[in-house]
Amino acid sequence: MSTDTEYQSLLAPALSMSEREAAAHYYNLAENWYHLQNNKAFKAFSKHIPRITKLLQSTDVNTRLEAVRALAFIAACPRLHKQLFEEDILKYIVYILGSSPEAANCEAALVVLNHLCQQSPTQKRKFAFVSDFCKDKQSLIIIFRYAHVEDRCLSIIANVMSVLAALCTERPNIQENCIRAGIMERAFNLKTSHRDRIVRANVDLFLQSMQLQDFSVDKFNEMHTLICIQMGYSSRALCLAIWRLVVTDRFHDASRTNTLFSVVDKIAEEDPTLDDDWNVVVVPQKSDQNDSNGHHIEPNQQHSKPNQPQSPQPVKHIERPHSARSHSPPFQPSPPEDESDDKENAEEPPPMRRIQSLKPKYSDNSNGNLGSSSDLPPFPPLRPSPSWLVQEMHIAILQTNPIDTDDGGNLALNAERKRLNDIFYNTKRGLKIFFGVLTKDALIRCILRGAQIVHISGHGPYASTLKVEDKFGRTEDLSADKIKNAIERGGNKQKGGGLKLVFVSTCYSEQVAKSFCDAGVPHVVAVHSMVQILDQMATKFASAFYEALIAHRKTVDEAFNNSKAELLLEKETDCCCRHEGHIGDCRCPICKIYRCCVLHHGPTSRCTQKKSIPCCQPKVPHAHSDKFLLLPEKANHGKQILTNLPIQNQHVQCERIDSRPPTNIGQPNQKIIGRTKDTRILVDFLHPDMPSDHQGDVLFVYGRPKIGITTLALQVGRFFTRPWYQAIFPGGVFRVNLDNCDDPNYLYSYLAQAMNVRDGTFGTYSYWDQQNKQYSPYPQDTQKDLHKQLSGDDIRDPIMFHGFIDEDCNVCYPEHYIIMDQHKNHKDTVQGAVPEIIYKEFEKRIRMLPMEFYVDPKDDNKVLVRRIKFTPPEEDRILVDIRKYGTNSDEYSNFEFQKMFIIDHISFPDAKLKQFMQKIKRLVENVKCKLLLCCHDTIERKIHRIQQQNVANCMPKHRTWRIQPIQKKDAAKLLLEQARQLYEFDFTDISTPSTAEETSQFALFEWLSKSPALVQQCCTVLDRKVPFCVIIKMMSEEPSKWNLALKDWQQPLKLTPDTLKDALNALTTLLTEINVVKSIWSDQPHLFQKPYMGQKNGSYNNGNYNNGNSVNANGNAPPQQNNQNGNNQEEKPNDPN
């Protein structure tokens, strides 16, 4: 273990280094110790804080930046706070916030201030330090101004709101100053419109410190509309009136229009200078500051962007709100307050700007020290954030991946997008990048907006056309002539010089690329017109090309040659199957593979026809590097592109021009296959631009359990959240999981939770207060935990909190545990999370949940309980919040963005299902939205019965669609793609299949097709060295014999005891899940015939059960069969009811 002397020795070299080297040394050590959670090491910094303080005054930009970043880590250790206060570090931090035009410095300074201001009133000495600091009005003005930066500056807003929350705690004078500076109004505006959860949570902390946590946003907006907009009173007078009424226990008067109006009128009369006393928002004015290239510096654009990659630097740190509002790092030992640190929401450092003068301009001291706070400069001018539609665009990445593509359009586009995104962001040259779907509109609009580089990737036909998508996800051809005419008529001389480079990364793209050349584009990269290109090769070439072109500032031909050289390290040639121009004798009559391809029809192939022929197109490029072309061939490509951007050492952050709608749906974690037709039909039905006779507002999707309804629904949701040039659902696409919901009254609360609309829309949980003989609401943090408990996908541990904490932060009552009704089916989870004595009491009262359990403070052998009551929220208010989500209009406006909800795991009992349908009908009538409702087929019969009983009152107009199993051939193909390679021993005692179709004849794939999620489990079993033949054989054995499945394989496969145990556990889990799927389909007796073992002379009936709208792999409909209700299903959803 390291000693204090060793830590001091690590810091000692900084004393003899130059200022810049010392600052970098301090920063690197502080960062490393912080991430290693080495609290002991930070004590060594106590002797170096004076040196770091002097480094903050350095005339070198990078030295100041490294010093303040180091201080951001050091300030996270409360042991050093006393010394930091004694060094008057707050004055230096405020000076940086007020004078430094480097946004990275300002953000790091806010992190330092955040750590230092998080002091509890019980820590009297530290609290007094901060209170004395707050007496300086000019310092507060500088901090207040950061609360008015653009909404897109997530880290700035989140940190400054956390700082203000700490400053306002137990300080009424600071609370009033915040109101006079317009921050209270700003906080309510952020709660109304801001989508980032960290920003919204820190705004909640600020309002809580202002004692306004119970004053709703709706009520504030209502009063603001009536008193400020319609009557013309100052919004700050309104905020001051609300605050004074609330803090004097007149909360109800603050919600009454007449009473509030009289108070506002009195304040306006007594304090006419209210809007001028703390006017922190400066009118935009021309700035004289320029960067090193002479470009005008807009300080409001110096902050971080919302979609930047993560990086472990302190200036990116966004403080996560906590119940005690403390944000010190997790290694702090036994603090008086809880602490947390969130790096998952970290952002990239904001752009660094150079200052015009290297000497502090606002100090009168000749020694270079800071002047008084009154000498601080004015805050830079602010401007509203521009819409993405008017932002400058440098690079447009357009990709096409239509629904109807073979195998579900599974191109490696996500990998390409991620690689290019990483390269562009790491260049630090201030690129403006647009990632979008390749449509006709997106292509021409990106060009006309002045994009200098357009990158096109996707499918390419063997023709002079470009495959693009329409807004429904179908492919359409865009001829080369139309591309040329559109560019010529639209003009190619836009801001920045117009289109300079087009990269057409599709197969056979040479002919299309020539149309761009004919239209005047000077540089075009394409693929030879006779060959296809592998996805991974295209991604590797593109990433190497852009890295050389943009990051290393090479010319186009240099970047092109460098990329070709990198592909030379790959496999020398590609196979002959991937080029066109084959003659008639090329295709083998037996296996239908080209006989000129040595790789697939060579001596190692399984085809009985071994005849091979020479390559029919020897002049066509076979090497990966030769497939790419730089056009026009004789043009001068020795030019650089994007030369007007800053150079790399200026560290100007890149920005993604984002047109995606808000969503809570993530990317898929595995390949999806066999659902092309279902996806197409559901998208057509839900798309808002489809003709009215082909669409509807509500679509029910039924299917048997484990068949993949959720996976399909998420696939449909991802289609609508793709980066279309104009969002299909601007209001957002959200998945709502009702797995833990057993009461339809909570439906709107679950919707609001999925949208992260705001607190207060989820109802209130209260406990029985025996002393006061009434129900009392839980604290806000416990309320949040309860709502997360109900809305999550998984069952969480019981909620634990302390009953009471005294002024010295000592726990007086033991831990309390809230156990919900959902926990009664997860006893193991409860048993592992609560003491044994509480678990025994939980078992006794399992029918009375939810309840609160805790040990009697006076008797350790006695458990006390408290009843819990839930008060549902006002549905009208929630519907207004849902309807106005994403807009800035008030509730009286009719404007709203259309939304889509995927409501999953609907499983209400019969008595509540009708009530649920009534809620759905009301939702559709009040909110402009589309609904995709996912439920099992057992719910279908119940809904049909409700429909027959009462249609008009509770049933919305809807259609239905039944999900069928995927084809067995698709399940086999999916397994073969994802699992390890199968060897000869995998087919011991069974015949070896030669194609995926032959592999699908094994009985295993009957059940994998009915539960595609089992494919991943099967891959896990194979990865643990279980032979494929063992899985096939064990399916027909009794469970008692499963543990002996690998008895004869342990020695041949050299399985260790641990490996054998893991393999048997995975195999047992898979076989158990298969038996569960069999029980789900037990009403289909023809599926349970003798399993196919692959014998040469054996006969096997395919047994492909197709019910309703299932289709096979080639798109042909199977023979029509009756469904459970005896009604024939068509290929389109049922007509509206």
Side-chain angles (χ1 to χ4, degrees):
M1 180 179 293
S2 300
T3 62
D4 293 341
T5 304
E6 292 176 346
Y7 295 131
Q8 289 289 354
S9 64
L10 293 175
L11 287 169
L15 299 176
S16 58
M17 294 179 179
S18 64
E19 288 187 345
R20 186 165 184 177
E21 292 174 343
H25 186 71
Y26 287 135
Y27 168 56
N28 292 330
L29 284 178
E31 182 185 25
N32 291 334
W33 290 345
Y34 179 84
H35 293 307
L36 292 174
Q37 302 183 11
N38 194 344
N39 184 39
K40 186 178 180 181
F42 271 88
K43 293 170 57 180
F45 270 109
S46 60
K47 297 181 180 180
H48 295 262
I49 289 179
R51 176 77 191 281
I52 298 175
T53 304
K54 292 182 180 179
L55 293 177
L56 294 176
Q57 309 169 46
S58 173
T59 58
D60 181 68
V61 177
N62 291 322
T63 299
R64 292 197 305 271
L65 176 61
E66 301 289 350
V68 72
R69 284 176 169 175
L71 198 60
F73 283 127
I74 296 171
C77 183
R79 294 185 179 184
L80 301 176
H81 283 188
K82 178 181 178 181
Q83 186 176 357
L84 291 173
F85 284 127
E86 292 174 350
E87 290 289 339
D88 208 6
I89 203 68
L90 291 176
K91 183 180 72 172
Y92 292 98
I93 294 300
V94 171
Y95 181 84
I96 292 174
L97 291 174
S99 63
S100 177
E102 296 98 2
N105 274 344
C106 298
E107 192 172 5
L110 278 175
V111 175
V112 177
L113 194 62
N114 205 348
H115 286 306
L116 295 178
C117 291
Q118 301 292 342
Q119 307 297 343
S120 170
T122 58
Q123 300 170 307
K124 296 182 179 179
R125 186 170 182 179
K126 294 182 179 180
F127 190 80
F129 274 123
V130 179
S131 298
D132 292 340
F133 162 73
C134 294
K135 295 178 181 179
D136 187 352
K137 179 177 179 180
Q138 186 66 20
S139 297
L140 290 180
I141 288 178
I142 292 174
I143 299 173
F144 289 167
R145 284 173 173 171
Y146 277 90
H148 295 280
V149 298
E150 303 173 17
D151 288 356
R152 62 190 176 95
C153 305
L154 304 184
S155 181
I156 296 288
I157 297 178
N159 275 291
V160 76
M161 282 297 171
S162 183
V163 170
L164 293 174
L167 295 179
C168 291
T169 302
E170 302 295 332
R171 299 185 181 96
N173 58 323
I174 306 300
Q175 296 176 18
E176 183 170 345
N177 291 339
C178 286
I179 296 173
R180 293 179 178 273
I183 299 178
M184 174 178 163
E185 180 186 5
R186 170 69 166 156
F188 278 109
N189 290 337
L190 288 173
K191 284 199 68 174
T192 303
S193 60
H194 212 289
R195 300 178 181 178
D196 185 76
R197 65 181 182 87
I198 300 297
V199 171
R200 294 166 61 85
N202 281 5
V203 168
D204 289 339
L205 287 180
F206 169 73
L207 292 177
Q208 182 179 352
S209 68
M210 297 279 293
Q211 307 177 57
L212 297 170
Q213 66 271 18
D214 295 328
F215 198 84
S216 69
V217 176
D218 288 340
K219 181 57 68 174
F220 178 84
N221 291 336
E222 177 186 350
M223 296 302 180
H224 186 272
T225 301
L226 294 176
I227 297 177
C228 298
I229 297 178
Q230 298 181 6
M231 299 182 182
Y233 283 91
S234 167
S235 59
R236 298 186 186 183
L238 171 66
C239 294
L240 190 59
I242 293 174
W243 176 75
R244 287 179 177 176
L245 291 172
V246 171
V247 298
T248 55
D249 296 331
R250 299 174 62 189
F251 181 85
H252 294 291
D253 289 340
S255 303
R256 297 173 181 172
T257 305
N258 293 335
T259 305
L260 184 61
F261 169 73
S262 61
V263 178
V264 172
D265 184 69
K266 184 177 180 181
I267 291 175
E269 182 179 354
E270 295 177 352
D271 196 352
T273 63
L274 178 64
D275 289 340
D276 301 326
D277 189 22
W278 286 77
N279 187 17
V280 300
V281 181
V282 180
V283 179
Q285 54 188 347
K286 186 175 180 179
S287 174
D288 295 330
Q289 292 178 334
N290 297 277
D291 63 11
S292 59
N293 291 332
H295 300 126
H296 178 59
I297 296 177
E298 292 295 347
N300 61 307
Q301 294 180 351
Q302 296 172 5
H303 304 293
S304 58
K305 310 299 186 291
N307 292 305
Q308 294 170 349
Q310 300 176 357
S311 172
Q313 301 183 12
V315 296
K316 315 162 304 172
H317 183 69
I318 297 181
E319 304 291 354
R320 178 187 288 275
H322 199 274
S323 58
R325 296 191 307 278
S326 180
H327 310 289
S328 299
F331 57 79
Q332 180 183 346
S334 303
E337 297 179 281
D338 293 338
E339 284 147 32
S340 65
D341 178 56
D342 187 6
K343 290 190 172 53
E344 294 179 357
N345 299 282
E347 297 180 342
E348 193 72 19
M352 292 173 52
R353 306 281 188 174
R354 292 189 176 182
I355 58 176
Q356 187 175 10
S357 174
L358 294 179
K359 298 181 67 176
K361 300 168 55 177
Y362 306 103
S363 174
D364 295 331
N365 301 327
S366 59
N367 58 4
N369 294 329
L370 300 178
S372 64
S373 59
S374 60
D375 297 327
L376 295 175
F379 196 75
L382 301 174
R383 294 188 312 178
S385 178
S387 167
W388 73 272
L389 287 171
V390 298
Q391 287 180 322
E392 184 182 5
M393 183 185 298
H394 297 143
I395 303 176
I397 310 295
L398 302 177
Q399 298 176 323
T400 174
N401 193 8
I403 295 175
D404 300 324
T405 307
D406 293 339
D407 298 335
N410 287 291
L411 289 176
L413 298 181
N414 286 337
E416 181 191 52
R417 182 165 56 247
K418 184 178 184 302
R419 289 282 296 274
L420 296 182
N421 185 74
D422 292 343
I423 290 173
F424 294 146
Y425 273 98
N426 289 328
T427 59
K428 301 290 195 293
R429 294 189 59 196
L431 292 171
K432 303 294 192 299
I433 313 160
F434 174 73
F435 287 90
V437 181
L438 177 57
T439 63
K440 293 187 293 186
D441 294 341
L443 177 60
I444 192 63
R445 291 183 186 181
C446 289
I447 294 175
L448 297 181
R449 282 180 63 171
Q452 296 188 41
I453 298 177
V454 173
H455 181 95
I456 298 171
S457 58
H459 300 271
Y462 181 55
S464 299
T465 57
L466 181 66
K467 287 287 186 182
V468 299
E469 289 188 56
D470 62 9
K471 56 186 176 182
F472 303 105
R474 293 182 172 87
T475 57
E476 56 181 341
D477 293 332
L478 185 59
S479 67
D481 294 336
K482 289 185 177 180
I483 296 175
K484 174 187 173 183
N485 295 334
I487 297 177
E488 288 178 343
R489 293 188 179 184
N492 188 30
K493 300 298 180 184
Q494 306 297 322
K495 180 180 178 181
L499 185 60
K500 299 290 185 62
L501 170 68
V502 175
F503 193 138
V504 190
S505 182
T506 66
C507 303
Y508 319 111
S509 60
E510 181 180 1
Q511 297 300 323
V512 175
K514 289 181 178 180
S515 66
F516 288 101
C517 296
D518 296 338
V521 180
H523 314 288
V524 181
V525 180
V527 178
H528 194 282
S529 59
M530 295 287 288
V531 299
Q532 302 175 6
I533 188 69
L534 294 174
D535 294 335
Q536 57 268 32
M537 294 297 108
T539 299
K540 181 168 291 190
F541 185 91
S543 59
F545 178 78
Y546 288 118
E547 181 178 346
L549 182 70
I550 299 176
H552 303 307
R553 301 173 61 87
K554 293 184 179 295
T555 61
V556 176
D557 56 352
E558 289 175 339
F560 182 78
N561 292 329
N562 288 355
S563 304
K564 292 185 67 174
E566 183 167 333
L567 291 190
L568 290 175
L569 302 177
E570 300 297 327
K571 207 171 179 182
E572 238 182 63
T573 60
D574 200 355
C575 69
C576 288
C577 298
R578 303 187 67 84
H579 70 71
E580 296 296 328
H582 290 284
I583 60 178
D585 293 338
C586 285
R587 189 177 291 276
C588 175
I590 305 299
C591 65
K592 308 302 182 184
I593 296 177
Y594 293 111
R595 290 184 288 185
C596 59
C597 181
V598 180
L599 181 62
H600 295 106
H601 202 275
T604 59
S605 66
R606 295 175 180 175
C607 179
T608 57
Q609 180 71 27
K610 297 295 184 180
K611 179 183 177 181
S612 298
I613 61 175
C615 179
C616 59
Q617 296 288 341
K619 295 183 180 181
V620 171
H622 288 66
H624 299 296
S625 59
D626 294 337
K627 293 183 177 182
F628 290 94
L629 305 174
L630 181 57
L631 305 175
E633 294 180 358
K634 298 182 180 181
N636 178 19
H637 299 294
K639 298 180 180 179
Q640 294 181 338
I641 298 180
L642 296 172
T643 55
N644 59 328
L645 295 180
I647 58 177
Q648 186 175 1
N649 57 13
Q650 289 182 274
H651 297 284
V652 181
Q653 199 58 257
C654 297
E655 179 181 356
R656 177 170 179 173
I657 302 173
D658 200 349
S659 63
R660 295 171 296 177
T663 183
N664 63 347
I665 299 176
Q667 293 297 321
N669 53 11
Q670 63 181 6
K671 188 175 181 179
I672 301 172
I673 194 171
R675 293 298 185 191
T676 301
K677 181 180 179 181
D678 292 319
T679 305
R680 160 56 51 214
I681 291 176
L682 298 186
V683 166
D684 286 348
F685 181 80
L686 294 168
H687 203 292
D689 293 336
M690 284 293 289
S692 58
D693 56 335
H694 293 290
Q695 64 166 315
D697 292 334
V698 182
L699 172 62
F700 279 92
V701 179
Y702 301 110
R704 301 206 179 198
K706 297 183 178 294
I707 202 170
I709 301 176
T710 299
T711 301
L712 175 62
L714 292 177
Q715 184 76 348
V716 174
R718 293 186 189 102
F719 171 84
F720 291 115
T721 59
R722 294 173 66 192
W724 302 93
Y725 192 83
Q726 291 182 332
I728 299 176
F729 288 101
V733 180
F734 305 96
R735 181 210 175 205
V736 184
N737 182 16
L738 298 184
D739 193 28
N740 297 330
C741 181
D742 55 2
D743 190 344
N745 287 322
Y746 303 157
L747 174 62
Y748 299 155
S749 297
Y750 274 77
L751 293 176
Q753 178 96 350
M755 301 172 69
N756 195 19
V757 171
R758 65 175 180 83
D759 299 327
T761 59
F762 312 127
T764 304
Y765 285 91
S766 305
Y767 63 89
W768 177 252
D769 189 345
Q770 185 66 30
Q771 183 177 358
N772 297 322
K773 301 299 181 181
Q774 65 179 8
Y775 279 98
S776 300
Y778 281 106
Q780 184 178 8
D781 296 317
T782 306
Q783 298 280 356
K784 293 180 181 179
D785 292 337
L786 286 166
H787 296 308
K788 291 178 182 178
Q789 185 80 260
L790 293 176
S791 62
D793 291 346
D794 301 321
I795 296 295
R796 305 174 184 228
D797 292 342
I799 298 171
M800 188 272 289
F801 65 95
H802 294 294
F804 175 73
I805 300 178
D806 62 13
E807 295 182 356
D808 297 327
C809 299
N810 297 319
V811 178
C812 296
Y813 290 168
E815 294 84 356
H816 290 223
Y817 296 89
I818 299 177
I819 304 180
M820 309 300 293
D821 185 61
Q822 290 78 7
H823 287 115
K824 63 184 179 184
N825 297 324
H826 298 80
K827 294 183 178 180
D828 293 340
T829 301
V830 178
Q831 189 173 12
V834 303
E836 182 179 359
I837 186 174
I838 290 183
Y839 179 75
K840 292 180 180 179
E841 189 69 22
F842 153 74
E843 288 186 316
K844 295 178 183 178
R845 300 177 180 269
I846 198 169
R847 297 181 179 274
M848 305 169 63
L849 300 178
M851 297 193 76
E852 179 183 326
F853 300 80
Y854 61 98
V855 179
D856 191 344
K858 300 178 181 179
D859 186 358
D860 293 340
N861 297 320
K862 182 179 180 181
V863 176
L864 302 179
V865 297
R866 293 199 292 200
R867 297 191 301 273
I868 296 177
K869 182 180 72 171
F870 176 75
T871 303
E874 299 179 10
E875 291 187 352
D876 293 339
R877 185 182 66 179
I878 300 179
L879 288 175
V880 170
D881 290 335
I882 294 175
R883 185 171 66 250
K884 298 304 176 186
Y885 180 81
T887 67
N888 295 323
S889 56
D890 55 54
E891 63 179 287
Y892 303 104
S893 172
N894 293 325
F895 176 74
E896 63 175 306
F897 289 131
Q898 189 168 18
K899 307 165 187 66
M900 175 181 168
F901 296 104
I902 300 173
I903 302 180
D904 198 10
H905 295 135
I906 302 172
S907 57
F908 294 107
D910 295 357
K912 297 182 178 181
L913 191 58
K914 181 177 179 180
Q915 184 182 3
F916 169 77
M917 297 302 299
Q918 292 173 337
K919 299 288 184 183
I920 292 295
K921 183 178 181 182
R922 186 183 180 193
L923 175 66
V924 174
E925 292 173 349
N926 288 272
V927 179
K928 187 178 181 181
C929 64
K930 300 277 188 176
L931 301 181
L932 179 60
L933 308 181
C934 307
C935 46
H936 294 156
D937 53 356
T938 55
I939 302 293
E940 179 185 15
R941 294 188 290 271
K942 300 177 183 178
I943 293 178
H944 183 67
R945 186 165 54 251
I946 294 174
Q947 177 184 1
Q948 292 177 335
Q949 294 174 355
N950 192 344
V951 178
N953 294 333
C954 68
M955 292 296 293
K957 182 179 179 181
H958 69 278
R959 293 188 179 183
T960 61
W961 183 250
R962 176 177 290 278
I963 303 301
Q964 300 298 336
I966 65 174
Q967 295 293 311
K968 293 191 296 181
K969 182 174 66 174
D970 291 333
K973 185 176 180 180
L974 192 59
L975 179 67
L976 294 175
E977 288 181 359
Q978 296 185 355
R980 63 170 173 81
Q981 183 178 354
L982 300 182
Y983 300 96
E984 290 185 4
F985 71 84
D986 284 296
F987 301 98
T988 304
D989 297 332
I990 60 176
S991 64
T992 304
S994 59
T995 63
E997 189 168 358
E998 292 181 9
T999 305
S1000 67
Q1001 301 303 312
F1002 291 104
L1004 170 67
F1005 297 98
E1006 184 72 59
W1007 310 112
L1008 295 188
S1009 66
K1010 292 172 172 53
S1011 180
L1014 293 180
V1015 173
Q1016 191 63 38
Q1017 293 190 30
C1018 193
C1019 292
T1020 302
V1021 175
L1022 293 174
D1023 290 342
R1024 295 185 179 178
K1025 298 185 179 181
V1026 177
F1028 181 77
C1029 59
V1030 172
I1031 301 176
I1032 300 299
K1033 294 175 181 179
M1034 286 297 106
M1035 288 181 59
S1036 58
E1037 297 292 344
E1038 295 295 329
S1040 59
K1041 298 182 180 180
W1042 291 348
N1043 288 331
L1044 304 176
L1046 298 176
K1047 180 179 179 181
D1048 299 332
W1049 292 92
Q1050 186 172 2
Q1051 293 299 327
L1053 296 178
K1054 299 180 181 180
L1055 300 176
T1056 64
D1058 291 340
T1059 305
L1060 178 63
K1061 183 178 179 181
D1062 292 341
L1064 288 175
N1065 289 339
L1067 177 62
T1068 302
T1069 302
L1070 173 65
L1071 296 174
T1072 302
E1073 290 294 327
I1074 291 176
N1075 283 345
V1076 172
V1077 177
K1078 288 181 178 180
S1079 65
I1080 294 173
W1081 293 82
S1082 58
D1083 59 334
Q1084 304 293 332
H1086 69 281
L1087 299 177
F1088 297 86
Q1089 51 189 321
K1090 185 177 179 180
Y1092 171 72
M1093 303 297 291
Q1095 290 84 356
K1096 295 182 180 180
N1097 297 327
S1099 61
Y1100 177 72
N1101 184 358
N1102 192 338
N1104 185 19
Y1105 173 67
N1106 291 299
N1107 183 11
N1109 51 32
S1110 176
V1111 293
N1112 52 30
N1114 57 15
N1116 298 325
Q1120 193 175 37
Q1121 299 184 22
N1122 293 334
N1123 61 10
Q1124 292 181 350
N1125 296 329
N1127 298 323
N1128 294 332
Q1129 296 281 344
E1130 299 179 358
E1131 290 191 359
K1132 294 183 179 180
N1134 297 335
D1135 291 334
N1137 294 293

